[in-house]
Amino acid sequence: MNKHTKTSDRQTNSAPRVNEPTPVRPTSGEGKFPTVRMRRRRYHPLVRNLVRETRLSVDNLILPLFVRPGRGVKKEIPSMPGNFQLSVDRLVEEVSQAVELGLKSFILFGIPEHKDAVGSSAADDEGIVQQALRALRKAHPDILLITDECFCEYTDHGHCGVLSEHGGRRDVDNDATLPLLAEQCVSHARAGADMVAPSGMLDGMVQAIRQGLDTAGFTWLPIMSYAAKYASGFYGPFRDAAESPPQFGDRGGYQMDPGNGDEALHEVALDLEEGADIIMVKPALSYLDIIRRVKERFGVPVAAYNVSGEFAMVKAAAQNGWIDERRVALEILTSIKRAGADIILTYFAKEVAAWLK
């Protein structure tokens, strides 16, 4: 037997080398049909419950709410049935009902009485969100209060910060907006916010907010960053709700292009380096792949926003009798969680809390 034959025999009889793939075996045991019958785990509803891999829980849901000046105001948002612009007193009632259903986490969006070019009312300690925080904290000391941090609701032009011109184009002045954003967050923290959620997609926003909060003594307060927020067509109903459509152009200069996935990972990495505690992907349903990639790459808590357009489509189809609203809503939210989201912001939160009881 020659040298080559002996070497070949040794390789054939030895264990697989490190670089060789390990054979994949069925996770349910050896064999195939009829030994393996996948339907055995589906034949009975209680068996299906036992082996379900992904479960929704009210503990993972955040309910978005819109607060505006006035008293006794509960103005339904036509494009978002069951959601309202609420005055502070009615907001407290709405949260009380949600708490009874088991919800514990809420994110607030403000509709101010006064708007100007720099969104000055956003950092006013007597601003609408600040008033809401104090009232809710008094009524419900144990709930989690999160505030959306941006300027589109507060500026008369509807963009997410101070404007300037570069190369003949008007756009948000990134660096001029950062200190104003930090001021807004500190004001909300003083009023009782448990977490701040910057949504403007500005470069350096997490770092500016972290420094502002730490300097003001809020070193313990977490940041949930809208790290991968896309320039999406699914935001239409929200802009009605928050009265914040841009008065010219669009937000493509700071929100992400829907065609980009690798860029989302870069954005997330930067926000984590700057001190973000929780990462958000927005919207959710058309970006399940991004949620999965972020979760697998970074292994940090991931939030996903089931946005207004996603909600409105389900509501409209259900009202026309085309779909089963409960079944479809739960299926969508389960898919978001299955993709890797630990936290879901959704306008379905109250319905889901009732359905899961």
Side-chain angles (χ1 to χ4, degrees):
M1 188 178 291
N2 62 37
K3 181 172 68 174
H4 297 294
T5 303
K6 289 180 180 179
T7 303
S8 177
D9 286 346
R10 267 200 312 272
Q11 289 175 347
T12 301
N13 296 330
S14 63
R17 289 173 294 182
V18 173
N19 291 333
E20 291 179 347
T22 303
V24 176
R25 301 189 182 279
T27 56
S28 54
E30 297 290 337
K32 55 186 178 180
F33 179 84
T35 304
V36 176
R37 291 181 180 267
M38 298 299 290
R39 289 184 58 193
R40 290 189 190 120
R41 292 188 294 226
R42 300 196 289 263
Y43 93 99
H44 193 294
L46 294 181
V47 174
R48 293 197 294 273
N49 286 344
L50 283 174
V51 301
R52 182 168 295 131
E53 299 172 23
T54 304
R55 295 181 183 275
L56 289 175
S57 167
V58 293
D59 292 338
N60 306 124
L61 302 181
I62 297 173
L63 176 62
L65 293 166
F66 302 92
V67 59
R68 65 172 304 131
R71 185 164 184 81
V73 178
K74 188 173 184 179
K75 180 182 177 185
E76 187 165 25
I77 302 158
S79 56
M80 298 172 64
N83 288 266
F84 306 87
Q85 293 180 344
L86 301 158
S87 55
V88 172
D89 56 319
R90 301 303 297 272
L91 177 72
V92 172
E93 293 175 7
E94 184 79 4
V95 168
S96 297
Q97 293 171 12
V99 168
E100 295 229 344
L101 290 169
L103 292 171
K104 303 162 188 173
S105 302
F106 306 86
I107 185 166
L108 301 181
F109 297 86
I111 304 161
E113 193 164 12
H114 169 72
K115 298 188 179 191
D116 58 30
V118 297
S120 58
S121 61
D124 185 345
D125 286 343
E126 294 305 316
I128 188 61
V129 169
Q130 289 85 339
Q131 293 177 41
L133 285 166
R134 288 192 288 269
L136 288 171
R137 182 57 64 220
K138 181 178 179 181
H140 297 285
D142 297 326
I143 62 175
L144 188 74
L145 294 175
I146 308 163
T147 50
D148 177 81
E149 306 295 344
C150 194
F151 287 94
C152 59
E153 302 106 311
Y154 300 93
T155 55
D156 54 14
H157 47 74
H159 281 278
C160 300
V162 180
L163 297 179
S164 64
E165 284 200 13
H166 297 285
R169 298 178 61 86
R170 294 180 75 199
D171 203 348
V172 169
D173 189 321
N174 191 95
D175 294 5
T177 302
L178 293 180
L180 304 179
L181 189 57
E183 288 177 23
Q184 181 186 28
C185 291
V186 170
S187 179
H188 288 171
R190 284 197 297 257
D194 299 299
M195 183 185 296
V196 294
S199 61
M201 287 296 291
L202 302 181
D203 295 337
M205 66 181 185
V206 173
Q207 177 177 284
I209 292 167
R210 185 73 273 160
Q211 290 176 350
L213 290 171
D214 290 355
T215 300
F218 295 101
T219 56
W220 50 269
L221 196 143
I223 298 172
M224 178 170 66
S225 176
Y226 291 64
K229 180 179 179 180
Y230 285 84
S232 172
F234 285 101
Y235 301 150
F238 173 89
R239 290 171 183 173
D240 294 338
E243 298 182 5
S244 62
Q247 298 303 301
F248 67 91
D250 58 31
R251 294 175 181 149
Y254 38 102
Q255 295 176 1
M256 287 181 53
D257 187 312
N260 293 354
D262 293 345
E263 183 184 10
L265 301 185
H266 194 178
E267 288 279 8
V268 169
L270 289 170
D271 282 10
L272 289 172
E273 287 174 6
E274 291 177 16
D277 302 284
I278 299 170
I279 291 300
M280 190 191 300
V281 176
K282 180 182 180 181
L285 191 54
S286 289
Y287 300 89
L288 297 176
D289 60 318
I290 305 301
I291 296 169
R292 169 53 56 190
R293 290 179 69 184
V294 168
K295 188 64 178 178
E296 288 182 344
R297 173 70 68 87
F298 299 101
V300 298
V302 176
Y305 203 140
N306 176 220
V307 298
S308 60
E310 297 166 358
F311 171 85
M313 288 192 303
V314 174
K315 283 289 185 180
Q319 287 174 354
N320 278 283
W322 298 335
I323 61 171
D324 179 330
E325 178 182 337
R326 172 175 173 166
R327 183 173 180 179
V328 170
L330 290 174
E331 185 174 344
I332 287 172
L333 295 174
T334 299
S335 76
I336 295 168
K337 198 161 193 295
R338 190 183 65 241
D342 305 286
I343 301 160
I344 303 175
L345 294 78
T346 178
Y347 302 99
F348 280 114
K350 284 179 66 178
E351 286 104 325
V352 171
W355 294 335
L356 294 181
K357 272 189 174 291

PDB file of all heavy atoms in Angstrom, residues 122-152:
ATOM      1  N   ALA A 122     -41.075  72.754  23.760  1.00  0.00           N
ATOM      2  CA  ALA A 122     -40.707  71.377  24.087  1.00  0.00           C
ATOM      3  C   ALA A 122     -39.975  71.275  25.412  1.00  0.00           C
ATOM      4  O   ALA A 122     -40.107  70.283  26.139  1.00  0.00           O
ATOM      5  CB  ALA A 122     -39.849  70.790  22.966  1.00  0.00           C
ATOM      6  N   ALA A 123     -39.180  72.288  25.737  1.00  0.00           N
ATOM      7  CA  ALA A 123     -38.380  72.265  26.964  1.00  0.00           C
ATOM      8  C   ALA A 123     -38.968  73.143  28.067  1.00  0.00           C
ATOM      9  O   ALA A 123     -38.321  73.361  29.097  1.00  0.00           O
ATOM     10  CB  ALA A 123     -36.949  72.701  26.664  1.00  0.00           C
ATOM     11  N   ASP A 124     -40.188  73.617  27.862  1.00  0.00           N
ATOM     12  CA  ASP A 124     -40.861  74.443  28.874  1.00  0.00           C
ATOM     13  C   ASP A 124     -41.314  73.551  30.021  1.00  0.00           C
ATOM     14  O   ASP A 124     -42.044  72.575  29.809  1.00  0.00           O
ATOM     15  CB  ASP A 124     -42.065  75.136  28.219  1.00  0.00           C
ATOM     16  CG  ASP A 124     -42.764  76.108  29.147  1.00  0.00           C
ATOM     17  OD1 ASP A 124     -42.521  76.059  30.381  1.00  0.00           O
ATOM     18  OD2 ASP A 124     -43.590  76.901  28.653  1.00  0.00           O
ATOM     19  N   ASP A 125     -40.895  73.862  31.233  1.00  0.00           N
ATOM     20  CA  ASP A 125     -41.277  73.036  32.377  1.00  0.00           C
ATOM     21  C   ASP A 125     -42.785  73.032  32.626  1.00  0.00           C
ATOM     22  O   ASP A 125     -43.285  72.180  33.358  1.00  0.00           O
ATOM     23  CB  ASP A 125     -40.540  73.503  33.637  1.00  0.00           C
ATOM     24  CG  ASP A 125     -39.070  73.102  33.619  1.00  0.00           C
ATOM     25  OD1 ASP A 125     -38.708  72.206  32.819  1.00  0.00           O
ATOM     26  OD2 ASP A 125     -38.282  73.680  34.393  1.00  0.00           O
ATOM     27  N   GLU A 126     -43.493  73.976  32.023  1.00  0.00           N
ATOM     28  CA  GLU A 126     -44.967  73.979  32.098  1.00  0.00           C
ATOM     29  C   GLU A 126     -45.576  73.521  30.775  1.00  0.00           C
ATOM     30  O   GLU A 126     -46.753  73.754  30.520  1.00  0.00           O
ATOM     31  CB  GLU A 126     -45.462  75.384  32.456  1.00  0.00           C
ATOM     32  CG  GLU A 126     -45.065  75.835  33.845  1.00  0.00           C
ATOM     33  CD  GLU A 126     -45.514  74.864  34.928  1.00  0.00           C
ATOM     34  OE1 GLU A 126     -46.671  74.393  34.864  1.00  0.00           O
ATOM     35  OE2 GLU A 126     -44.715  74.567  35.829  1.00  0.00           O
ATOM     36  N   GLY A 127     -44.768  72.864  29.936  1.00  0.00           N
ATOM     37  CA  GLY A 127     -45.264  72.355  28.667  1.00  0.00           C
ATOM     38  C   GLY A 127     -46.281  71.245  28.859  1.00  0.00           C
ATOM     39  O   GLY A 127     -46.443  70.690  29.954  1.00  0.00           O
ATOM     40  N   ILE A 128     -46.940  70.856  27.777  1.00  0.00           N
ATOM     41  CA  ILE A 128     -48.041  69.914  27.878  1.00  0.00           C
ATOM     42  C   ILE A 128     -47.586  68.525  28.332  1.00  0.00           C
ATOM     43  O   ILE A 128     -48.251  67.873  29.147  1.00  0.00           O
ATOM     44  CB  ILE A 128     -48.816  69.840  26.534  1.00  0.00           C
ATOM     45  CG1 ILE A 128     -50.081  69.007  26.701  1.00  0.00           C
ATOM     46  CG2 ILE A 128     -47.937  69.320  25.407  1.00  0.00           C
ATOM     47  CD1 ILE A 128     -51.067  69.546  27.716  1.00  0.00           C
ATOM     48  N   VAL A 129     -46.455  68.057  27.847  1.00  0.00           N
ATOM     49  CA  VAL A 129     -45.970  66.741  28.279  1.00  0.00           C
ATOM     50  C   VAL A 129     -45.539  66.786  29.741  1.00  0.00           C
ATOM     51  O   VAL A 129     -45.794  65.848  30.511  1.00  0.00           O
ATOM     52  CB  VAL A 129     -44.819  66.262  27.369  1.00  0.00           C
ATOM     53  CG1 VAL A 129     -44.121  65.034  27.955  1.00  0.00           C
ATOM     54  CG2 VAL A 129     -45.349  65.934  25.973  1.00  0.00           C
ATOM     55  N   GLN A 130     -44.912  67.886  30.137  1.00  0.00           N
ATOM     56  CA  GLN A 130     -44.484  68.020  31.527  1.00  0.00           C
ATOM     57  C   GLN A 130     -45.687  68.017  32.468  1.00  0.00           C
ATOM     58  O   GLN A 130     -45.662  67.392  33.538  1.00  0.00           O
ATOM     59  CB  GLN A 130     -43.664  69.301  31.690  1.00  0.00           C
ATOM     60  CG  GLN A 130     -42.286  69.249  31.044  1.00  0.00           C
ATOM     61  CD  GLN A 130     -42.275  69.611  29.567  1.00  0.00           C
ATOM     62  OE1 GLN A 130     -43.293  69.543  28.886  1.00  0.00           O
ATOM     63  NE2 GLN A 130     -41.114  70.005  29.060  1.00  0.00           N
ATOM     64  N   GLN A 131     -46.768  68.705  32.077  1.00  0.00           N
ATOM     65  CA  GLN A 131     -47.990  68.684  32.874  1.00  0.00           C
ATOM     66  C   GLN A 131     -48.550  67.267  32.974  1.00  0.00           C
ATOM     67  O   GLN A 131     -48.983  66.816  34.046  1.00  0.00           O
ATOM     68  CB  GLN A 131     -49.038  69.598  32.253  1.00  0.00           C
ATOM     69  CG  GLN A 131     -48.718  71.082  32.280  1.00  0.00           C
ATOM     70  CD  GLN A 131     -49.788  71.892  31.571  1.00  0.00           C
ATOM     71  OE1 GLN A 131     -50.981  71.630  31.713  1.00  0.00           O
ATOM     72  NE2 GLN A 131     -49.364  72.883  30.786  1.00  0.00           N
ATOM     73  N   ALA A 132     -48.545  66.573  31.858  1.00  0.00           N
ATOM     74  CA  ALA A 132     -49.074  65.207  31.825  1.00  0.00           C
ATOM     75  C   ALA A 132     -48.253  64.279  32.713  1.00  0.00           C
ATOM     76  O   ALA A 132     -48.812  63.435  33.442  1.00  0.00           O
ATOM     77  CB  ALA A 132     -49.079  64.700  30.388  1.00  0.00           C
ATOM     78  N   LEU A 133     -46.942  64.426  32.665  1.00  0.00           N
ATOM     79  CA  LEU A 133     -46.082  63.580  33.491  1.00  0.00           C
ATOM     80  C   LEU A 133     -46.381  63.761  34.979  1.00  0.00           C
ATOM     81  O   LEU A 133     -46.505  62.778  35.726  1.00  0.00           O
ATOM     82  CB  LEU A 133     -44.612  63.911  33.214  1.00  0.00           C
ATOM     83  CG  LEU A 133     -44.033  63.400  31.899  1.00  0.00           C
ATOM     84  CD1 LEU A 133     -42.704  64.081  31.607  1.00  0.00           C
ATOM     85  CD2 LEU A 133     -43.856  61.888  31.925  1.00  0.00           C
ATOM     86  N   ARG A 134     -46.522  65.005  35.406  1.00  0.00           N
ATOM     87  CA  ARG A 134     -46.776  65.252  36.826  1.00  0.00           C
ATOM     88  C   ARG A 134     -48.129  64.691  37.253  1.00  0.00           C
ATOM     89  O   ARG A 134     -48.261  64.080  38.331  1.00  0.00           O
ATOM     90  CB  ARG A 134     -46.688  66.754  37.119  1.00  0.00           C
ATOM     91  CG  ARG A 134     -45.251  67.301  37.068  1.00  0.00           C
ATOM     92  CD  ARG A 134     -45.166  68.707  37.630  1.00  0.00           C
ATOM     93  NE  ARG A 134     -45.779  69.678  36.744  1.00  0.00           N
ATOM     94  CZ  ARG A 134     -45.132  70.349  35.784  1.00  0.00           C
ATOM     95  NH1 ARG A 134     -43.833  70.125  35.589  1.00  0.00           N
ATOM     96  NH2 ARG A 134     -45.743  71.241  35.032  1.00  0.00           N
ATOM     97  N   ALA A 135     -49.133  64.853  36.404  1.00  0.00           N
ATOM     98  CA  ALA A 135     -50.467  64.348  36.742  1.00  0.00           C
ATOM     99  C   ALA A 135     -50.490  62.824  36.786  1.00  0.00           C
ATOM    100  O   ALA A 135     -51.088  62.220  37.689  1.00  0.00           O
ATOM    101  CB  ALA A 135     -51.486  64.865  35.731  1.00  0.00           C
ATOM    102  N   LEU A 136     -49.848  62.196  35.819  1.00  0.00           N
ATOM    103  CA  LEU A 136     -49.831  60.734  35.780  1.00  0.00           C
ATOM    104  C   LEU A 136     -48.996  60.162  36.916  1.00  0.00           C
ATOM    105  O   LEU A 136     -49.357  59.132  37.505  1.00  0.00           O
ATOM    106  CB  LEU A 136     -49.287  60.251  34.437  1.00  0.00           C
ATOM    107  CG  LEU A 136     -50.205  60.442  33.228  1.00  0.00           C
ATOM    108  CD1 LEU A 136     -49.466  60.123  31.938  1.00  0.00           C
ATOM    109  CD2 LEU A 136     -51.457  59.576  33.355  1.00  0.00           C
ATOM    110  N   ARG A 137     -47.883  60.808  37.222  1.00  0.00           N
ATOM    111  CA  ARG A 137     -47.051  60.321  38.313  1.00  0.00           C
ATOM    112  C   ARG A 137     -47.795  60.370  39.640  1.00  0.00           C
ATOM    113  O   ARG A 137     -47.683  59.458  40.478  1.00  0.00           O
ATOM    114  CB  ARG A 137     -45.766  61.172  38.389  1.00  0.00           C
ATOM    115  CG  ARG A 137     -44.787  60.765  39.444  1.00  0.00           C
ATOM    116  CD  ARG A 137     -44.338  59.329  39.318  1.00  0.00           C
ATOM    117  NE  ARG A 137     -43.615  59.067  38.096  1.00  0.00           N
ATOM    118  CZ  ARG A 137     -43.749  57.972  37.366  1.00  0.00           C
ATOM    119  NH1 ARG A 137     -44.586  57.024  37.720  1.00  0.00           N
ATOM    120  NH2 ARG A 137     -43.059  57.787  36.269  1.00  0.00           N
ATOM    121  N   LYS A 138     -48.600  61.409  39.828  1.00  0.00           N
ATOM    122  CA  LYS A 138     -49.394  61.525  41.059  1.00  0.00           C
ATOM    123  C   LYS A 138     -50.479  60.457  41.110  1.00  0.00           C
ATOM    124  O   LYS A 138     -50.715  59.846  42.162  1.00  0.00           O
ATOM    125  CB  LYS A 138     -50.021  62.928  41.129  1.00  0.00           C
ATOM    126  CG  LYS A 138     -50.839  63.170  42.387  1.00  0.00           C
ATOM    127  CD  LYS A 138     -51.381  64.591  42.408  1.00  0.00           C
ATOM    128  CE  LYS A 138     -52.218  64.836  43.664  1.00  0.00           C
ATOM    129  NZ  LYS A 138     -52.782  66.220  43.683  1.00  0.00           N
ATOM    130  N   ALA A 139     -51.136  60.206  39.980  1.00  0.00           N
ATOM    131  CA  ALA A 139     -52.240  59.245  39.953  1.00  0.00           C
ATOM    132  C   ALA A 139     -51.756  57.802  39.960  1.00  0.00           C
ATOM    133  O   ALA A 139     -52.407  56.918  40.530  1.00  0.00           O
ATOM    134  CB  ALA A 139     -53.106  59.499  38.718  1.00  0.00           C
ATOM    135  N   HIS A 140     -50.612  57.554  39.322  1.00  0.00           N
ATOM    136  CA  HIS A 140     -50.118  56.184  39.170  1.00  0.00           C
ATOM    137  C   HIS A 140     -48.606  56.159  39.393  1.00  0.00           C
ATOM    138  O   HIS A 140     -47.826  56.146  38.441  1.00  0.00           O
ATOM    139  CB  HIS A 140     -50.449  55.650  37.778  1.00  0.00           C
ATOM    140  CG  HIS A 140     -51.909  55.545  37.498  1.00  0.00           C
ATOM    141  ND1 HIS A 140     -52.701  54.556  38.031  1.00  0.00           N
ATOM    142  CD2 HIS A 140     -52.714  56.333  36.745  1.00  0.00           C
ATOM    143  CE1 HIS A 140     -53.940  54.718  37.609  1.00  0.00           C
ATOM    144  NE2 HIS A 140     -53.979  55.789  36.836  1.00  0.00           N
ATOM    145  N   PRO A 141     -48.177  56.134  40.641  1.00  0.00           N
ATOM    146  CA  PRO A 141     -46.734  56.216  40.921  1.00  0.00           C
ATOM    147  C   PRO A 141     -45.923  55.033  40.415  1.00  0.00           C
ATOM    148  O   PRO A 141     -44.697  55.142  40.269  1.00  0.00           O
ATOM    149  CB  PRO A 141     -46.675  56.316  42.455  1.00  0.00           C
ATOM    150  CG  PRO A 141     -48.004  55.825  42.937  1.00  0.00           C
ATOM    151  CD  PRO A 141     -48.982  56.140  41.882  1.00  0.00           C
ATOM    152  N   ASP A 142     -46.576  53.908  40.125  1.00  0.00           N
ATOM    153  CA  ASP A 142     -45.827  52.696  39.809  1.00  0.00           C
ATOM    154  C   ASP A 142     -45.768  52.341  38.322  1.00  0.00           C
ATOM    155  O   ASP A 142     -45.206  51.311  37.960  1.00  0.00           O
ATOM    156  CB  ASP A 142     -46.410  51.499  40.581  1.00  0.00           C
ATOM    157  CG  ASP A 142     -46.282  51.676  42.078  1.00  0.00           C
ATOM    158  OD1 ASP A 142     -45.279  52.270  42.520  1.00  0.00           O
ATOM    159  OD2 ASP A 142     -47.188  51.233  42.806  1.00  0.00           O
ATOM    160  N   ILE A 143     -46.348  53.152  37.454  1.00  0.00           N
ATOM    161  CA  ILE A 143     -46.284  52.852  36.023  1.00  0.00           C
ATOM    162  C   ILE A 143     -44.998  53.403  35.416  1.00  0.00           C
ATOM    163  O   ILE A 143     -44.320  54.240  36.024  1.00  0.00           O
ATOM    164  CB  ILE A 143     -47.508  53.411  35.260  1.00  0.00           C
ATOM    165  CG1 ILE A 143     -47.573  54.928  35.359  1.00  0.00           C
ATOM    166  CG2 ILE A 143     -48.791  52.761  35.764  1.00  0.00           C
ATOM    167  CD1 ILE A 143     -48.693  55.557  34.528  1.00  0.00           C
ATOM    168  N   LEU A 144     -44.670  52.933  34.217  1.00  0.00           N
ATOM    169  CA  LEU A 144     -43.486  53.408  33.515  1.00  0.00           C
ATOM    170  C   LEU A 144     -43.894  54.472  32.510  1.00  0.00           C
ATOM    171  O   LEU A 144     -44.702  54.214  31.611  1.00  0.00           O
ATOM    172  CB  LEU A 144     -42.792  52.251  32.789  1.00  0.00           C
ATOM    173  CG  LEU A 144     -41.439  52.580  32.169  1.00  0.00           C
ATOM    174  CD1 LEU A 144     -40.368  52.705  33.266  1.00  0.00           C
ATOM    175  CD2 LEU A 144     -41.025  51.511  31.165  1.00  0.00           C
ATOM    176  N   LEU A 145     -43.326  55.669  32.663  1.00  0.00           N
ATOM    177  CA  LEU A 145     -43.644  56.791  31.792  1.00  0.00           C
ATOM    178  C   LEU A 145     -42.446  57.127  30.912  1.00  0.00           C
ATOM    179  O   LEU A 145     -41.368  57.448  31.409  1.00  0.00           O
ATOM    180  CB  LEU A 145     -44.043  58.012  32.624  1.00  0.00           C
ATOM    181  CG  LEU A 145     -45.344  57.868  33.425  1.00  0.00           C
ATOM    182  CD1 LEU A 145     -45.567  59.086  34.303  1.00  0.00           C
ATOM    183  CD2 LEU A 145     -46.526  57.662  32.490  1.00  0.00           C
ATOM    184  N   ILE A 146     -42.656  57.028  29.605  1.00  0.00           N
ATOM    185  CA  ILE A 146     -41.622  57.278  28.608  1.00  0.00           C
ATOM    186  C   ILE A 146     -42.042  58.492  27.793  1.00  0.00           C
ATOM    187  O   ILE A 146     -43.239  58.675  27.523  1.00  0.00           O
ATOM    188  CB  ILE A 146     -41.461  56.051  27.685  1.00  0.00           C
ATOM    189  CG1 ILE A 146     -41.258  54.782  28.514  1.00  0.00           C
ATOM    190  CG2 ILE A 146     -40.317  56.248  26.696  1.00  0.00           C
ATOM    191  CD1 ILE A 146     -41.504  53.507  27.747  1.00  0.00           C
ATOM    192  N   THR A 147     -41.108  59.300  27.397  1.00  0.00           N
ATOM    193  CA  THR A 147     -41.450  60.462  26.577  1.00  0.00           C
ATOM    194  C   THR A 147     -40.708  60.415  25.247  1.00  0.00           C
ATOM    195  O   THR A 147     -39.506  60.155  25.207  1.00  0.00           O
ATOM    196  CB  THR A 147     -41.124  61.784  27.306  1.00  0.00           C
ATOM    197  OG1 THR A 147     -39.786  61.740  27.802  1.00  0.00           O
ATOM    198  CG2 THR A 147     -42.074  62.004  28.460  1.00  0.00           C
ATOM    199  N   ASP A 148     -41.458  60.642  24.164  1.00  0.00           N
ATOM    200  CA  ASP A 148     -40.855  60.784  22.854  1.00  0.00           C
ATOM    201  C   ASP A 148     -40.131  62.125  22.809  1.00  0.00           C
ATOM    202  O   ASP A 148     -40.681  63.158  23.204  1.00  0.00           O
ATOM    203  CB  ASP A 148     -41.935  60.739  21.777  1.00  0.00           C
ATOM    204  CG  ASP A 148     -41.373  60.954  20.384  1.00  0.00           C
ATOM    205  OD1 ASP A 148     -40.849  59.983  19.819  1.00  0.00           O
ATOM    206  OD2 ASP A 148     -41.450  62.089  19.877  1.00  0.00           O
ATOM    207  N   GLU A 149     -38.895  62.099  22.318  1.00  0.00           N
ATOM    208  CA  GLU A 149     -38.066  63.302  22.316  1.00  0.00           C
ATOM    209  C   GLU A 149     -37.775  63.720  20.877  1.00  0.00           C
ATOM    210  O   GLU A 149     -36.954  63.113  20.195  1.00  0.00           O
ATOM    211  CB  GLU A 149     -36.767  63.049  23.079  1.00  0.00           C
ATOM    212  CG  GLU A 149     -36.955  62.522  24.493  1.00  0.00           C
ATOM    213  CD  GLU A 149     -37.642  63.506  25.431  1.00  0.00           C
ATOM    214  OE1 GLU A 149     -37.707  64.696  25.080  1.00  0.00           O
ATOM    215  OE2 GLU A 149     -38.087  63.086  26.507  1.00  0.00           O
ATOM    216  N   CYS A 150     -38.465  64.744  20.435  1.00  0.00           N
ATOM    217  CA  CYS A 150     -38.293  65.241  19.077  1.00  0.00           C
ATOM    218  C   CYS A 150     -38.897  66.646  19.022  1.00  0.00           C
ATOM    219  O   CYS A 150     -39.433  67.133  20.025  1.00  0.00           O
ATOM    220  CB  CYS A 150     -38.965  64.304  18.072  1.00  0.00           C
ATOM    221  SG  CYS A 150     -38.473  64.611  16.358  1.00  0.00           S
ATOM    222  N   PHE A 151     -38.848  67.283  17.864  1.00  0.00           N
ATOM    223  CA  PHE A 151     -39.369  68.638  17.740  1.00  0.00           C
ATOM    224  C   PHE A 151     -40.447  68.799  16.676  1.00  0.00           C
ATOM    225  O   PHE A 151     -40.993  69.882  16.523  1.00  0.00           O
ATOM    226  CB  PHE A 151     -38.218  69.618  17.453  1.00  0.00           C
ATOM    227  CG  PHE A 151     -37.349  69.865  18.653  1.00  0.00           C
ATOM    228  CD1 PHE A 151     -36.201  69.120  18.845  1.00  0.00           C
ATOM    229  CD2 PHE A 151     -37.686  70.807  19.598  1.00  0.00           C
ATOM    230  CE1 PHE A 151     -35.401  69.327  19.951  1.00  0.00           C
ATOM    231  CE2 PHE A 151     -36.900  71.024  20.719  1.00  0.00           C
ATOM    232  CZ  PHE A 151     -35.750  70.280  20.896  1.00  0.00           C
ATOM    233  N   CYS A 152     -40.766  67.716  15.963  1.00  0.00           N
ATOM    234  CA  CYS A 152     -41.715  67.874  14.855  1.00  0.00           C
ATOM    235  C   CYS A 152     -43.087  68.342  15.334  1.00  0.00           C
ATOM    236  O   CYS A 152     -43.778  69.069  14.619  1.00  0.00           O
ATOM    237  CB  CYS A 152     -41.833  66.583  14.052  1.00  0.00           C
ATOM    238  SG  CYS A 152     -42.391  65.150  14.995  1.00  0.00           S
TER     239      CYS A 152
END
